[in-house]
Amino acid sequence: MAHSGVRRGRYPFDDRAHAMQPLFEYRREFAGYDTRVLELEGDGTPLVFFHGFSDSADTWRHTLDLLGRHDRRAIAVDLPGFATAARLRPGLVLPQLDAFAAGVLATFGEEKPVVVGNSLGGCVALRLGERAGGRLSGVVAVAPAGLDMAGWFSLIERDVVLRALLASPVPVPPRVLRAMVGRIYRFLAFADPTRVEAKVIASFASHHADRATVARYMDTGRRMIPELRDPFDLPRIAPPVLLVWGDRDRLVFSSGAQRVIDALPGTRLELFEGCGHCPQIEAAGRFAALLEEFADAPAAAL
């Protein structure tokens, strides 16, 4: 029988004696938005990954690496407006992301993927569950935006160094800008910034190439704030839902999970101790194993 609440425990991810599935990277268009795709060609229920605000598909590389050792089928994409994807159009942001997500889903035909999203991507995943739930096997929302959110955007905007760099009348060297972006990311997104690999920070910062890009991301954040105040019609979500949260998330508080559980009593919550906003990075092995369990039998896993 389905149950709700918090389950804690270890999910060992044993990758011994498994061949590595190669990760392909290419360009593709969904709903009129050109973007980058990272794909594993494997077996089983497909997994579709959406990243968070100002992030990229690269945030899922740890997860994809582990899933590739188990011959899992998965794709991750850059959302419109971020990283290497086409820019957002004027107007509301979430409906554009909804259309993009629906376009990605359409490419699977009669198959029913599990959609996985972190932060803004978690919001997109839940909204896809509302609109196309019958075509999904499940929804995994990792610290989804639009629930009990901290004033994360205000924290970023008030950063003294960021404000000075964006207002500077002289050109800012890219390495200086990337270092600043990496510093903010490291201390806001993770429970223990000292344990995050430098290459993870560098990957995130690499998509903030210049002041114009950072300013555009900031503008997108301002546009989205009103939309994220009440973005869900949770009772409309049809497929099984798995919530994943770090208990030390500074950006989206785990208390917001109760809203989903109240609306969808079969919802399962996995609270990762000692993790921040990105469990897929801070606890990659446990996270990947949890996805495999859920994707193999999402209804039975509840």
Side-chain angles (χ1 to χ4, degrees):
M1 176 178 291
H3 67 274
S4 61
V6 181
R7 290 181 56 190
R8 293 184 177 86
R10 297 186 61 82
Y11 288 82
F13 198 88
D14 185 358
D15 61 6
R16 292 173 295 181
H18 290 285
M20 171 64 77
Q21 183 70 231
L23 183 66
F24 297 96
E25 182 170 342
Y26 57 91
R27 307 293 302 183
R28 184 159 182 179
E29 186 175 293
F30 302 104
Y33 296 93
D34 179 69
T35 193
R36 177 179 58 139
V37 179
L38 305 180
E39 180 176 9
L40 290 172
E41 293 181 347
D43 297 318
T45 302
L47 293 160
V48 178
F49 293 92
F50 299 130
H51 62 78
F53 173 77
S54 80
D55 209 338
S56 75
D58 295 321
T59 193
W60 304 111
R61 284 189 181 272
H62 282 73
T63 303
L64 293 169
D65 176 72
L66 291 168
L67 294 175
R69 299 172 190 271
H70 283 206
D71 199 32
R72 303 296 305 196
R73 184 178 175 195
I75 69 167
V77 294
D78 290 340
L79 289 174
F82 303 109
T84 73
R87 295 190 181 188
L88 291 161
R89 297 156 190 160
L92 295 175
V93 173
L94 290 184
Q96 296 185 62
L97 300 183
D98 291 339
F100 175 82
V104 175
L105 178 59
T107 65
F108 287 92
E110 297 301 314
E111 292 185 279
K112 293 184 177 183
V114 169
V115 62
V116 185
N118 176 223
S119 195
L120 175 60
C123 176
V124 172
L126 287 170
R127 286 167 63 92
L128 188 61
E130 295 173 8
R131 291 158 175 76
R135 295 166 58 200
L136 296 174
S137 290
V139 175
V140 181
V142 186
L147 293 169
D148 192 358
M149 297 173 59
W152 58 271
F153 192 74
S154 296
L155 292 173
I156 296 171
E157 284 205 303
R158 289 200 303 265
D159 187 270
V160 175
V161 177
L162 174 62
R163 291 173 60 187
L165 290 177
L166 292 180
S168 174
V170 299
V172 177
R175 62 178 179 80
V176 174
L177 188 63
R178 290 194 298 268
M180 178 275 302
V181 168
R183 176 182 60 81
I184 294 174
Y185 175 58
R186 182 185 290 273
F187 284 95
L188 286 183
F190 303 106
D192 184 353
T194 64
R195 295 178 58 188
V196 182
E197 295 180 40
K199 65 181 181 181
V200 171
I201 305 301
S203 176
F204 178 88
S206 69
H207 297 294
H208 300 69
D210 50 43
R211 285 192 295 182
T213 300
V214 175
R216 176 163 52 84
Y217 288 172
M218 299 296 286
D219 178 67
T220 298
R222 294 185 198 97
R223 288 167 59 189
M224 284 195 305
I225 287 174
E227 299 179 58
L228 289 172
R229 288 182 182 136
D230 188 20
F232 303 120
D233 186 1
L234 294 172
R236 289 183 58 196
I237 298 176
V241 174
L242 169 64
L243 298 175
V244 181
W245 237 295
D247 68 347
R248 294 174 61 188
D249 193 331
R250 301 182 182 94
L251 300 178
V252 183
F253 302 132
S254 60
S255 55
Q258 194 60 49
R259 282 181 54 193
V260 184
I261 293 171
D262 289 344
L264 302 167
T267 297
R268 170 179 168 185
L269 171 62
E270 285 283 347
L271 194 62
F272 280 30
E273 296 180 358
C275 283
H277 192 55
C278 299
Q280 71 272 17
I281 294 174
E282 289 189 276
R286 179 182 173 190
F287 181 75
L290 185 60
L291 291 186
E292 283 223 280
E293 174 197 351
F294 186 74
D296 284 339
L302 297 176

